[in-house]
Amino acid sequence: MTVPEAELKKTDAGLIPQGEGWFVLNARDATWIQSDERGQDTDFEGGQEWAQLGFRIQVLGPGQRSMYHGERGQEAFLVVSGECVLVIEGEERRLGAWDFVHCPPWTRHAFVGAGDAPCVIVMAGSRIGGFEVVYPLDEVAAKHGASVPEETSSPDEAYARWSSEKRSAYGEGWLPSS
């Protein structure tokens, strides 16, 4: 059996993989998703639905953050440049380039950009068994604006107070130069 190559559709916001199949896509050519509070991250998946593995690159500016949460599948994170604060299970850890974080299923965590430059984090997570998430209330995460006011399992509810996300093309300087 031969696996076909997926089509890469060109849009104003970058290339979006379409349908099933393998592909090669440079992160600077991919579409990105931007939010004032959450920074920006790649959308390598595009028009495909990956049932086994999620993969993204997130860029957090100082003070930008993810929302404190735990997921059904295990996740892994590698900081490749910059600095951030990891809030994990109600504790804070300062992270820098090449720090790796492993989260077994349901490990509660969030990342907050720190320092004076963007923080670039490579993220991978299991989707086997489907996507389930919980956003718990947490005092340490709340210090960083990364906690919900009331526990929920709805991403829409968790992010309702933040500005909406928008698709865009890659912005110069988001990723370190090679």
Side-chain angles (χ1 to χ4, degrees), residues 16 23 38 47 85 105 113 119 125-127 153 177:
I16 301 176
F23 61 89
R38 296 168 67 181
V85 173
C119 179
S126 174
R127 293 187 178 162
S153 59
S177 57

Side-chain angles (χ1 to χ4, degrees), residues 21 81 84 118-119 146:
S81 70
C84 66
C119 179

